[in-house]
Amino acid sequence: MKLKLSEYFLLLVTYSMIIAYSPLVRSGEISDEQCKVEYLLHKHSDLKRSVKDFDQTEGQGWRRLNDLGCHREAADLIQDYLGEKKVPQLLFHRGQMLAFAGQTRDAVSAFSDSLYSETVDTRGFLWNDYVSGVIAFLNMDYSRFRLALKALRAGDQKKNEKNIQVLRRLQYRFDSEYKTALLSAAPSPEWDDNCTAASDATIGRLMGNRIVIFGEIHGTQEIPEFVRALTCQLARAGRSVVLALEMPESTQADIDLYLQSNGSSSARDELLQKRFWSSALPFGVSSQGMFDVIEEISVNPARYSGVKVLAYDPPPAFVTPDAKFDAMAIARKRDEGMASAIRKSLAANSEAIHIVVTGRVHASKMGGSSRDPTYRPLASIIASEFSALAFAVAHDAGDAWVCVAVCGVTKFDGSNKQKMSRGIHFFDAGAQPGFDGVFSVGKISSSLPQRLRSFPKTKQ
Protein backbone atom coordinates (compact mmCIF):
# COMPACT_ATOMS: atom_id res chain seq x y z
CA MET A 1 0.00 0.00 0.00
CA LYS A 2 1.31 3.39 -1.00
CA LEU A 3 0.13 6.45 0.89
CA LYS A 4 -0.86 9.65 -0.90
CA LEU A 5 0.91 12.80 0.26
CA SER A 6 -2.27 14.08 1.94
CA GLU A 7 -2.70 10.75 3.80
CA TYR A 8 0.92 10.80 4.90
CA PHE A 9 0.53 14.37 6.21
CA LEU A 10 -2.61 13.33 8.10
CA LEU A 11 -0.69 10.50 9.71
CA LEU A 12 2.02 12.87 10.84
CA VAL A 13 -0.54 15.21 12.39
CA THR A 14 -2.32 12.29 14.10
CA TYR A 15 0.97 10.93 15.39
CA SER A 16 1.98 14.29 16.85
CA MET A 17 -1.34 14.48 18.70
CA ILE A 18 -0.93 10.95 20.08
CA ILE A 19 2.57 11.79 21.27
CA ALA A 20 1.26 14.89 22.96
CA TYR A 21 -1.67 13.28 24.75
CA SER A 22 -0.75 9.61 25.26
CA PRO A 23 1.55 8.65 28.14
CA LEU A 24 4.22 6.01 27.63
CA VAL A 25 3.02 2.56 28.60
CA ARG A 26 6.45 1.41 29.82
CA SER A 27 9.86 2.98 29.81
CA GLY A 28 11.17 2.89 26.23
CA GLU A 29 7.87 1.58 24.83
CA ILE A 30 4.81 3.35 23.46
CA SER A 31 1.08 2.76 23.38
CA ASP A 32 -0.72 0.45 20.95
CA GLU A 33 -2.14 3.46 19.10
CA GLN A 34 1.29 4.96 18.63
CA CYS A 35 2.64 1.61 17.43
CA LYS A 36 -0.03 1.43 14.73
CA VAL A 37 0.88 4.90 13.48
CA GLU A 38 4.61 4.11 13.58
CA TYR A 39 3.95 0.97 11.57
CA LEU A 40 2.10 2.90 8.85
CA LEU A 41 4.82 5.55 8.69
CA HIS A 42 7.55 2.94 8.30
CA LYS A 43 5.51 0.96 5.82
CA HIS A 44 5.40 4.07 3.66
CA SER A 45 9.09 4.90 4.02
CA ASP A 46 11.01 1.63 4.49
CA LEU A 47 9.82 -1.00 2.02
CA LYS A 48 12.23 0.15 -0.70
CA ARG A 49 15.28 0.16 1.54
CA SER A 50 18.10 -2.26 0.89
CA VAL A 51 18.17 -5.43 3.01
CA LYS A 52 21.19 -4.03 4.83
CA ASP A 53 19.43 -0.78 5.72
CA PHE A 54 16.11 -2.42 6.55
CA ASP A 55 17.48 -5.36 8.53
CA GLN A 56 20.97 -4.59 9.75
CA THR A 57 21.05 -0.85 10.50
CA GLU A 58 20.23 0.21 14.05
CA GLY A 59 17.31 2.63 14.31
CA GLN A 60 16.02 1.84 10.81
CA GLY A 61 13.51 -0.53 9.30
CA TRP A 62 11.89 -2.99 11.66
CA ARG A 63 14.52 -2.31 14.33
CA ARG A 64 13.04 1.12 14.98
CA LEU A 65 9.67 -0.46 15.81
CA ASN A 66 11.38 -3.01 18.03
CA ASP A 67 13.19 -0.22 19.91
CA LEU A 68 9.79 1.34 20.62
CA GLY A 69 8.34 -1.93 21.90
CA CYS A 70 6.10 -2.37 18.83
CA HIS A 71 7.00 -6.02 18.35
CA ARG A 72 3.85 -7.18 16.56
CA GLU A 73 4.08 -4.23 14.19
CA ALA A 74 7.78 -4.95 13.59
CA ALA A 75 6.83 -8.50 12.59
CA ASP A 76 4.16 -7.18 10.23
CA LEU A 77 6.60 -4.72 8.67
CA ILE A 78 9.08 -7.52 7.99
CA GLN A 79 6.31 -9.53 6.33
CA ASP A 80 5.39 -6.52 4.18
CA TYR A 81 9.02 -6.12 3.18
CA LEU A 82 9.43 -9.77 2.29
CA GLY A 83 6.23 -10.29 0.35
CA GLU A 84 6.68 -13.72 -1.23
CA LYS A 85 10.48 -13.73 -0.86
CA LYS A 86 12.23 -16.06 1.56
CA VAL A 87 15.17 -14.45 3.32
CA PRO A 88 16.11 -16.71 6.27
CA GLN A 89 17.61 -13.96 8.44
CA LEU A 90 14.58 -11.70 8.01
CA LEU A 91 12.21 -14.59 8.65
CA PHE A 92 14.17 -15.37 11.81
CA HIS A 93 13.89 -11.75 12.99
CA ARG A 94 10.16 -11.90 12.29
CA GLY A 95 10.01 -14.94 14.54
CA GLN A 96 11.85 -13.03 17.25
CA MET A 97 9.40 -10.15 17.08
CA LEU A 98 6.42 -12.51 17.30
CA ALA A 99 8.02 -14.26 20.29
CA PHE A 100 8.65 -10.87 21.93
CA ALA A 101 4.95 -10.10 21.36
CA GLY A 102 4.00 -13.32 23.15
CA GLN A 103 2.63 -15.01 20.02
CA THR A 104 4.48 -18.27 20.47
CA ARG A 105 2.68 -20.40 17.87
CA ASP A 106 3.18 -17.83 15.10
CA ALA A 107 6.79 -17.34 16.20
CA VAL A 108 7.52 -21.08 15.87
CA SER A 109 6.04 -20.99 12.36
CA ALA A 110 8.23 -18.02 11.36
CA PHE A 111 11.36 -19.58 12.82
CA SER A 112 10.58 -22.81 10.95
CA ASP A 113 10.30 -20.85 7.71
CA SER A 114 13.81 -19.48 8.29
CA LEU A 115 15.44 -22.92 8.08
CA TYR A 116 17.68 -23.53 5.09
CA SER A 117 16.93 -26.45 2.78
CA GLU A 118 19.24 -29.44 3.22
CA THR A 119 20.88 -28.72 -0.13
CA VAL A 120 22.28 -25.35 0.99
CA ASP A 121 25.96 -25.44 1.97
CA THR A 122 26.40 -23.08 4.94
CA ARG A 123 30.14 -23.90 5.16
CA GLY A 124 30.20 -24.85 8.81
CA PHE A 125 27.78 -22.15 9.98
CA LEU A 126 25.18 -24.36 11.69
CA TRP A 127 22.18 -22.13 11.17
CA ASN A 128 19.56 -24.88 11.20
CA ASP A 129 20.84 -26.30 14.50
CA TYR A 130 20.68 -22.84 16.04
CA VAL A 131 17.12 -22.22 14.80
CA SER A 132 16.09 -25.70 15.96
CA GLY A 133 17.36 -24.83 19.43
CA VAL A 134 15.26 -21.66 19.51
CA ILE A 135 12.17 -23.57 18.35
CA ALA A 136 12.78 -26.23 21.02
CA PHE A 137 13.02 -23.46 23.64
CA LEU A 138 9.64 -22.04 22.61
CA ASN A 139 8.12 -25.53 22.58
CA MET A 140 9.68 -26.19 26.00
CA ASP A 141 11.31 -29.34 24.60
CA TYR A 142 14.52 -29.54 26.60
CA SER A 143 15.61 -32.80 24.99
CA ARG A 144 15.66 -31.31 21.47
CA PHE A 145 17.15 -28.09 22.83
CA ARG A 146 20.10 -29.96 24.33
CA LEU A 147 20.67 -31.83 21.07
CA ALA A 148 20.73 -28.57 19.12
CA LEU A 149 23.22 -26.98 21.53
CA LYS A 150 25.33 -30.11 21.46
CA ALA A 151 25.45 -29.98 17.63
CA LEU A 152 26.57 -26.33 17.71
CA ARG A 153 29.32 -27.08 20.20
CA ALA A 154 30.53 -29.99 18.05
CA GLY A 155 30.88 -27.72 15.01
CA ASP A 156 33.23 -24.91 14.07
CA GLN A 157 33.46 -22.91 17.33
CA LYS A 158 34.62 -19.73 15.65
CA LYS A 159 31.73 -19.63 13.20
CA ASN A 160 29.07 -20.65 15.71
CA GLU A 161 30.28 -19.04 18.95
CA LYS A 162 27.77 -16.18 18.89
CA ASN A 163 24.81 -18.51 18.47
CA ILE A 164 26.19 -20.91 21.09
CA GLN A 165 26.19 -18.03 23.57
CA VAL A 166 22.60 -17.15 22.66
CA LEU A 167 21.46 -20.73 23.30
CA ARG A 168 23.38 -20.75 26.58
CA ARG A 169 21.37 -17.73 27.72
CA LEU A 170 18.15 -19.49 26.73
CA GLN A 171 19.29 -22.63 28.54
CA TYR A 172 20.14 -20.67 31.69
CA ARG A 173 16.62 -19.18 31.73
CA PHE A 174 14.77 -22.10 30.18
CA ASP A 175 11.72 -21.49 32.38
CA SER A 176 11.42 -17.86 31.22
CA GLU A 177 9.74 -16.21 28.26
CA TYR A 178 11.88 -15.82 25.15
CA LYS A 179 12.42 -12.07 25.46
CA THR A 180 13.41 -12.30 29.13
CA ALA A 181 15.84 -15.17 28.50
CA LEU A 182 17.37 -13.64 25.37
CA LEU A 183 18.04 -10.27 26.97
CA SER A 184 19.26 -11.66 30.30
CA ALA A 185 22.85 -11.51 31.44
CA ALA A 186 25.11 -14.32 30.31
CA PRO A 187 25.61 -17.21 32.77
CA SER A 188 28.63 -17.02 35.04
CA PRO A 189 31.90 -18.69 34.00
CA GLU A 190 31.31 -21.37 36.65
CA TRP A 191 27.98 -22.27 35.08
CA ASP A 192 29.60 -22.18 31.65
CA ASP A 193 31.84 -25.13 32.45
CA ASN A 194 28.65 -27.15 32.99
CA CYS A 195 30.62 -29.86 34.76
CA THR A 196 32.24 -28.16 37.75
CA ALA A 197 30.70 -27.51 41.15
CA ALA A 198 33.69 -27.70 43.50
CA SER A 199 37.47 -27.47 43.61
CA ASP A 200 39.58 -30.56 42.96
CA ALA A 201 40.63 -30.54 46.62
CA THR A 202 36.99 -30.56 47.72
CA ILE A 203 36.18 -33.38 45.31
CA GLY A 204 38.97 -35.36 46.94
CA ARG A 205 37.44 -34.85 50.37
CA LEU A 206 34.00 -35.88 49.15
CA MET A 207 35.34 -39.06 47.61
CA GLY A 208 36.51 -40.24 51.01
CA ASN A 209 32.89 -40.73 52.03
CA ARG A 210 30.17 -43.07 50.90
CA ILE A 211 27.41 -40.50 51.19
CA VAL A 212 27.24 -36.74 50.64
CA ILE A 213 23.93 -35.14 51.66
CA PHE A 214 22.70 -31.78 50.37
CA GLY A 215 19.91 -30.05 52.27
CA GLU A 216 18.01 -28.02 49.70
CA ILE A 217 15.07 -25.69 49.18
CA HIS A 218 12.74 -27.41 46.75
CA GLY A 219 11.65 -25.63 43.58
CA THR A 220 14.75 -23.67 42.48
CA GLN A 221 16.72 -23.63 39.25
CA GLU A 222 20.12 -23.28 40.85
CA ILE A 223 20.22 -26.19 43.33
CA PRO A 224 19.41 -28.96 40.81
CA GLU A 225 21.93 -27.42 38.41
CA PHE A 226 24.59 -27.40 41.12
CA VAL A 227 23.95 -31.04 42.03
CA ARG A 228 23.97 -32.03 38.35
CA ALA A 229 27.32 -30.28 37.82
CA LEU A 230 28.76 -32.03 40.89
CA THR A 231 27.51 -35.40 39.63
CA CYS A 232 29.11 -34.68 36.26
CA GLN A 233 32.38 -33.69 37.94
CA LEU A 234 32.50 -36.89 39.98
CA ALA A 235 31.72 -39.01 36.92
CA ARG A 236 34.43 -37.20 34.96
CA ALA A 237 36.85 -38.08 37.75
CA GLY A 238 36.01 -41.76 37.17
CA ARG A 239 33.78 -42.30 40.19
CA SER A 240 30.53 -44.27 40.07
CA VAL A 241 27.68 -42.12 41.39
CA VAL A 242 24.17 -42.79 42.67
CA LEU A 243 22.23 -39.53 42.54
CA ALA A 244 19.47 -39.97 45.13
CA LEU A 245 16.50 -37.64 44.63
CA GLU A 246 13.59 -37.05 46.99
CA MET A 247 11.06 -38.59 44.63
CA PRO A 248 8.58 -41.41 45.29
CA GLU A 249 10.02 -44.91 45.12
CA SER A 250 7.13 -45.75 42.78
CA THR A 251 8.73 -43.57 40.07
CA GLN A 252 11.95 -45.63 39.96
CA ALA A 253 10.97 -47.95 37.10
CA ASP A 254 9.77 -45.03 34.96
CA ILE A 255 12.99 -43.08 35.57
CA ASP A 256 15.10 -46.15 34.72
CA LEU A 257 13.26 -46.64 31.42
CA TYR A 258 13.83 -43.01 30.47
CA LEU A 259 17.53 -43.16 31.35
CA GLN A 260 17.91 -46.27 29.19
CA SER A 261 16.29 -44.50 26.22
CA ASN A 262 19.18 -42.01 25.85
CA GLY A 263 16.69 -39.16 26.01
CA SER A 264 14.36 -40.16 23.18
CA SER A 265 11.41 -37.81 22.75
CA SER A 266 8.86 -40.63 22.88
CA ALA A 267 10.31 -41.93 26.17
CA ARG A 268 10.33 -38.39 27.52
CA ASP A 269 6.67 -37.90 26.64
CA GLU A 270 5.76 -41.23 28.22
CA LEU A 271 7.56 -40.34 31.45
CA LEU A 272 5.87 -36.96 31.70
CA GLN A 273 2.44 -38.55 31.45
CA LYS A 274 3.07 -40.37 34.73
CA ARG A 275 1.22 -39.13 37.78
CA PHE A 276 4.23 -37.73 39.61
CA TRP A 277 5.10 -35.34 36.78
CA SER A 278 1.54 -34.45 35.74
CA SER A 279 -0.06 -34.20 39.18
CA ALA A 280 -2.47 -31.39 39.96
CA LEU A 281 -0.52 -31.01 43.24
CA PRO A 282 2.80 -29.83 41.81
CA PHE A 283 5.45 -29.95 44.53
CA GLY A 284 8.94 -28.49 44.17
CA VAL A 285 10.52 -31.95 43.90
CA SER A 286 8.77 -32.35 40.53
CA SER A 287 10.19 -29.06 39.25
CA GLN A 288 11.48 -28.38 35.78
CA GLY A 289 14.94 -28.03 37.28
CA MET A 290 14.81 -31.53 38.75
CA PHE A 291 13.49 -33.01 35.53
CA ASP A 292 16.30 -31.29 33.61
CA VAL A 293 18.84 -33.14 35.77
CA ILE A 294 17.32 -36.50 34.83
CA GLU A 295 17.05 -35.46 31.19
CA GLU A 296 20.67 -34.30 31.05
CA ILE A 297 21.83 -37.69 32.34
CA SER A 298 19.59 -39.51 29.86
CA VAL A 299 20.64 -37.42 26.84
CA ASN A 300 24.37 -37.72 27.61
CA PRO A 301 25.04 -41.33 28.68
CA ALA A 302 28.75 -41.14 27.83
CA ARG A 303 29.27 -38.06 29.95
CA TYR A 304 27.39 -39.60 32.86
CA SER A 305 28.83 -43.08 32.54
CA GLY A 306 28.51 -44.91 35.87
CA VAL A 307 25.71 -42.62 37.13
CA LYS A 308 22.43 -44.01 38.43
CA VAL A 309 19.38 -42.12 39.70
CA LEU A 310 17.64 -43.34 42.86
CA ALA A 311 14.11 -42.33 43.87
CA TYR A 312 14.07 -42.96 47.61
CA ASP A 313 10.94 -41.36 49.14
CA PRO A 314 8.72 -44.13 50.62
CA PRO A 315 4.94 -44.30 50.24
CA PRO A 316 3.17 -41.92 52.65
CA ALA A 317 2.19 -43.28 56.03
CA PHE A 318 -1.59 -43.08 56.41
CA VAL A 319 -3.43 -42.81 59.71
CA THR A 320 -6.28 -45.21 60.35
CA PRO A 321 -9.63 -43.56 61.23
CA ASP A 322 -9.48 -44.79 64.83
CA ALA A 323 -5.89 -43.66 65.42
CA LYS A 324 -4.83 -40.35 66.86
CA PHE A 325 -3.09 -38.18 64.30
CA ASP A 326 0.59 -37.87 65.15
CA ALA A 327 2.52 -35.72 62.66
CA MET A 328 5.90 -36.48 64.21
CA ALA A 329 5.22 -40.23 64.11
CA ILE A 330 4.52 -39.91 60.39
CA ALA A 331 7.70 -37.82 59.94
CA ARG A 332 9.77 -40.43 61.81
CA LYS A 333 8.35 -43.22 59.67
CA ARG A 334 9.12 -41.29 56.50
CA ASP A 335 12.76 -40.57 57.43
CA GLU A 336 13.24 -44.20 58.43
CA GLY A 337 11.79 -45.28 55.09
CA MET A 338 14.09 -42.94 53.18
CA ALA A 339 17.10 -44.21 55.12
CA SER A 340 16.09 -47.79 54.36
CA ALA A 341 15.96 -47.10 50.61
CA ILE A 342 19.41 -45.51 50.66
CA ARG A 343 20.79 -48.31 52.82
CA LYS A 344 19.64 -50.86 50.22
CA SER A 345 21.24 -48.84 47.44
CA LEU A 346 24.52 -48.65 49.35
CA ALA A 347 24.52 -52.43 49.60
CA ALA A 348 23.74 -52.87 45.91
CA ASN A 349 26.20 -50.17 44.75
CA SER A 350 29.09 -50.62 47.16
CA GLU A 351 31.63 -48.80 44.95
CA ALA A 352 29.48 -45.74 44.26
CA ILE A 353 29.40 -42.45 46.11
CA HIS A 354 25.82 -41.52 46.95
CA ILE A 355 24.82 -37.89 46.37
CA VAL A 356 21.62 -37.43 48.36
CA VAL A 357 19.43 -34.41 47.65
CA THR A 358 16.78 -33.80 50.29
CA GLY A 359 14.87 -31.09 52.12
CA ARG A 360 17.01 -29.26 54.66
CA VAL A 361 15.12 -30.69 57.64
CA HIS A 362 16.11 -34.21 56.57
CA ALA A 363 19.76 -33.28 55.94
CA SER A 364 20.96 -32.64 59.49
CA LYS A 365 23.12 -35.29 61.13
CA MET A 366 21.93 -34.12 64.54
CA GLY A 367 18.82 -35.80 65.94
CA GLY A 368 15.95 -34.23 67.85
CA SER A 369 13.69 -31.28 67.23
CA SER A 370 11.79 -28.74 69.30
CA ARG A 371 8.61 -30.78 68.78
CA ASP A 372 10.13 -34.22 69.31
CA PRO A 373 13.51 -34.83 70.97
CA THR A 374 13.45 -38.43 69.67
CA TYR A 375 13.08 -37.43 66.02
CA ARG A 376 15.97 -38.58 63.84
CA PRO A 377 16.18 -37.09 60.36
CA LEU A 378 17.41 -39.09 57.39
CA ALA A 379 21.01 -37.83 57.65
CA SER A 380 21.18 -38.63 61.36
CA ILE A 381 20.18 -42.23 60.71
CA ILE A 382 22.52 -42.77 57.76
CA ALA A 383 25.53 -40.98 59.32
CA SER A 384 25.37 -43.33 62.33
CA GLU A 385 25.99 -46.29 60.00
CA PHE A 386 28.15 -44.96 57.14
CA SER A 387 30.76 -42.27 56.51
CA ALA A 388 28.69 -39.26 55.48
CA LEU A 389 29.00 -35.52 54.95
CA ALA A 390 26.05 -33.13 55.17
CA PHE A 391 25.82 -29.64 53.66
CA ALA A 392 23.12 -27.00 54.01
CA VAL A 393 22.33 -24.66 51.12
CA ALA A 394 23.65 -21.07 51.26
CA HIS A 395 21.99 -18.70 48.82
CA ASP A 396 21.42 -15.06 48.04
CA ALA A 397 17.94 -13.53 48.19
CA GLY A 398 15.53 -14.80 45.56
CA ASP A 399 12.49 -17.02 45.21
CA ALA A 400 11.48 -20.67 44.89
CA TRP A 401 8.38 -22.71 44.12
CA VAL A 402 7.43 -24.24 47.46
CA CYS A 403 4.36 -25.76 49.06
CA VAL A 404 3.51 -24.57 52.55
CA ALA A 405 -0.14 -23.60 53.04
CA VAL A 406 -0.43 -23.43 49.25
CA CYS A 407 1.96 -24.10 46.38
CA GLY A 408 3.50 -21.17 44.56
CA VAL A 409 6.46 -18.84 44.15
CA THR A 410 7.75 -17.65 47.53
CA LYS A 411 10.40 -15.03 48.21
CA PHE A 412 13.40 -15.94 50.38
CA ASP A 413 15.88 -13.73 52.17
CA GLY A 414 19.50 -14.61 51.55
CA SER A 415 21.20 -17.14 53.82
CA ASN A 416 24.68 -16.56 52.37
CA LYS A 417 25.60 -13.95 54.94
CA GLN A 418 29.35 -14.37 54.39
CA LYS A 419 29.07 -13.90 50.62
CA MET A 420 30.75 -17.20 49.88
CA SER A 421 31.49 -18.02 46.25
CA ARG A 422 29.67 -20.78 44.40
CA GLY A 423 30.91 -24.13 45.61
CA ILE A 424 31.24 -26.30 48.71
CA HIS A 425 32.62 -24.74 51.89
CA PHE A 426 33.52 -26.74 55.00
CA PHE A 427 32.90 -25.49 58.53
CA ASP A 428 35.44 -25.62 61.32
CA ALA A 429 34.69 -28.58 63.57
CA GLY A 430 31.51 -28.01 65.58
CA ALA A 431 30.71 -24.65 63.97
CA GLN A 432 27.17 -25.68 63.08
CA PRO A 433 25.87 -28.87 64.69
CA GLY A 434 24.43 -31.31 62.19
CA PHE A 435 26.28 -29.99 59.15
CA ASP A 436 29.83 -30.23 57.84
CA GLY A 437 29.50 -27.09 55.74
CA VAL A 438 27.40 -25.36 53.12
CA PHE A 439 27.06 -25.44 49.36
CA SER A 440 26.68 -21.96 47.92
CA VAL A 441 24.58 -21.45 44.76
CA GLY A 442 24.22 -17.66 44.53
CA LYS A 443 20.84 -16.05 43.90
CA ILE A 444 17.99 -18.55 43.75
CA SER A 445 15.14 -18.35 41.26
CA SER A 446 11.99 -20.40 41.14
CA SER A 447 11.70 -23.47 38.96
CA LEU A 448 8.05 -24.15 38.23
CA PRO A 449 6.57 -27.65 38.26
CA GLN A 450 7.46 -29.67 35.18
CA ARG A 451 3.80 -30.15 34.27
CA LEU A 452 3.48 -26.42 33.60
CA ARG A 453 5.86 -26.85 30.66
CA SER A 454 2.93 -28.23 28.69
CA PHE A 455 1.65 -24.67 28.41
CA PRO A 456 3.08 -22.05 26.01
CA LYS A 457 5.64 -19.68 27.45
CA THR A 458 3.20 -16.86 26.79
CA LYS A 459 -0.46 -16.63 25.91
CA GLN A 460 -1.41 -16.69 22.25
Side-chain angles (χ1 to χ4, degrees):
M1 179 186 80
K2 237 183 167 180
L3 296 176
K4 296 178 182 178
L5 185 60
S6 58
E7 293 173 325
Y8 186 65
F9 178 74
L10 181 60
L11 275 174
L12 287 174
V13 172
T14 304
Y15 184 54
S16 65
M17 292 178 67
I18 290 174
I19 291 291
Y21 295 106
S22 296
L24 294 180
V25 178
R26 293 180 298 276
S27 177
E29 300 186 6
I30 61 178
S31 69
D32 291 343
E33 291 80 7
Q34 290 170 299
C35 281
K36 291 174 184 176
V37 174
E38 280 283 354
Y39 162 69
L40 291 174
L41 290 172
H42 283 273
K43 185 174 181 180
H44 176 77
S45 63
D46 291 359
L47 298 190
K48 290 187 177 181
R49 292 183 184 275
S50 66
V51 173
K52 180 180 179 181
D53 286 344
F54 180 81
D55 185 54
Q56 299 297 319
T57 305
E58 293 297 330
Q60 294 190 33
W62 67 269
R63 292 181 181 273
R64 172 59 181 164
L65 294 177
N66 174 54
D67 292 342
L68 294 171
C70 305
H71 306 309
R72 174 74 243 195
E73 289 75 14
D76 290 343
L77 187 65
I78 293 173
Q79 186 59 56
D80 294 335
Y81 185 86
L82 283 169
E84 298 299 319
K85 297 190 294 292
K86 183 175 180 179
V87 181
Q89 193 163 352
L90 274 169
L91 287 166
F92 182 86
H93 289 152
R94 182 169 185 269
Q96 286 188 309
M97 293 300 96
L98 290 167
F100 277 22
Q103 297 178 324
T104 307
R105 190 176 295 111
D106 291 341
V108 168
S109 178
F111 282 128
S112 298
D113 289 340
S114 77
L115 293 166
Y116 283 108
S117 69
E118 294 181 1
T119 59
V120 175
D121 181 9
T122 57
R123 300 187 178 186
F125 180 61
L126 303 179
W127 174 258
N128 281 5
D129 291 307
Y130 170 56
V131 176
S132 297
V134 174
I135 292 171
F137 174 87
L138 290 172
N139 287 333
M140 304 194 93
D141 187 338
Y142 194 70
S143 179
R144 288 188 174 90
F145 180 89
R146 293 288 303 173
L147 291 174
L149 182 55
K150 184 178 180 180
L152 281 182
R153 283 176 163 154
D156 187 320
Q157 291 284 307
K158 188 173 182 181
K159 291 182 178 179
N160 296 287
E161 179 60 26
K162 183 176 180 181
N163 288 341
I164 289 172
Q165 295 308 317
V166 172
L167 289 193
R168 283 184 60 251
R169 285 204 299 276
L170 298 185
Q171 182 187 32
Y172 189 58
R173 296 294 181 197
F174 202 82
D175 299 340
S176 304
E177 295 179 6
Y178 177 73
K179 182 178 180 181
T180 301
L182 185 67
L183 302 181
S184 66
S188 66
E190 292 87 353
W191 191 88
D192 182 54
D193 185 333
N194 218 22
C195 201
T196 299
S199 68
D200 290 343
T202 297
I203 291 295
R205 291 183 71 175
L206 299 186
M207 284 186 175
N209 296 269
R210 296 202 63 190
I211 307 163
V212 182
I213 302 167
F214 292 94
E216 71 150 340
I217 297 172
H218 300 314
T220 73
Q221 296 181 43
E222 291 73 18
I223 295 173
E225 172 56 27
F226 180 91
V227 172
R228 184 213 56 76
L230 177 64
T231 301
C232 179
Q233 191 174 3
L234 288 165
R236 186 172 62 183
R239 190 67 187 268
S240 297
V241 180
V242 172
L243 177 58
L245 302 178
E246 193 180 315
M247 295 177 180
E249 290 178 342
S250 59
T251 65
Q252 186 68 59
D254 297 327
I255 292 172
D256 289 343
L257 283 174
Y258 181 53
L259 293 177
Q260 293 163 14
S261 77
N262 293 347
S264 78
S265 294
S266 59
R268 177 184 191 271
D269 293 342
E270 187 174 346
L271 176 64
L272 292 180
Q273 290 172 7
K274 302 299 182 180
R275 183 179 178 185
F276 175 69
W277 298 105
S278 60
S279 171
L281 294 173
F283 297 104
V285 292
S286 62
S287 70
Q288 296 170 14
M290 279 299 180
F291 181 81
D292 289 347
V293 173
I294 297 172
E295 182 154 53
E296 171 76 9
I297 295 171
S298 180
V299 169
N300 296 289
R303 193 179 202 193
Y304 293 90
S305 177
V307 174
K308 297 180 180 179
V309 175
L310 172 68
Y312 64 86
D313 202 0
F318 293 102
V319 180
T320 58
D322 59 340
K324 182 179 179 181
F325 179 78
D326 185 343
M328 290 309 301
I330 293 174
R332 286 195 299 273
K333 187 174 181 63
R334 183 185 178 204
D335 279 83
E336 289 164 3
M338 291 193 289
S340 177
I342 292 171
R343 193 182 292 117
K344 290 176 183 176
S345 179
L346 286 162
N349 303 280
S350 59
E351 299 301 315
I353 183 171
H354 281 59
I355 303 299
V356 180
V357 185
T358 190
R360 192 181 188 281
V361 68
H362 307 291
S364 173
K365 294 195 291 184
M366 184 174 70
S369 75
S370 58
R371 296 177 62 186
D372 182 359
T374 67
Y375 169 67
R376 295 186 68 199
L378 163 65
S380 173
I381 299 171
I382 288 296
S384 67
E385 304 172 30
F386 305 94
S387 57
L389 295 172
F391 299 93
V393 65
H395 60 84
D396 297 337
D399 51 61
W401 177 282
V402 296
C403 294
V404 187
V406 295
C407 296
V409 175
T410 300
K411 292 189 178 300
F412 283 82
D413 294 331
S415 64
N416 186 12
K417 305 301 183 185
Q418 320 222 317
K419 304 299 178 185
M420 290 175 284
S421 61
R422 181 180 185 270
I424 295 173
H425 303 268
F426 285 87
F427 291 143
D428 293 333
Q432 185 172 335
F435 292 96
D436 298 286
V438 298
F439 66 107
S440 178
V441 298
K443 179 182 178 180
I444 55 172
S445 51
S446 57
S447 180
L448 303 185
Q450 172 64 26
R451 77 176 185 88
L452 298 184
R453 267 197 184 153
S454 61
F455 297 96
K457 287 182 180 292
T458 52
K459 294 182 180 179
Q460 298 298 319

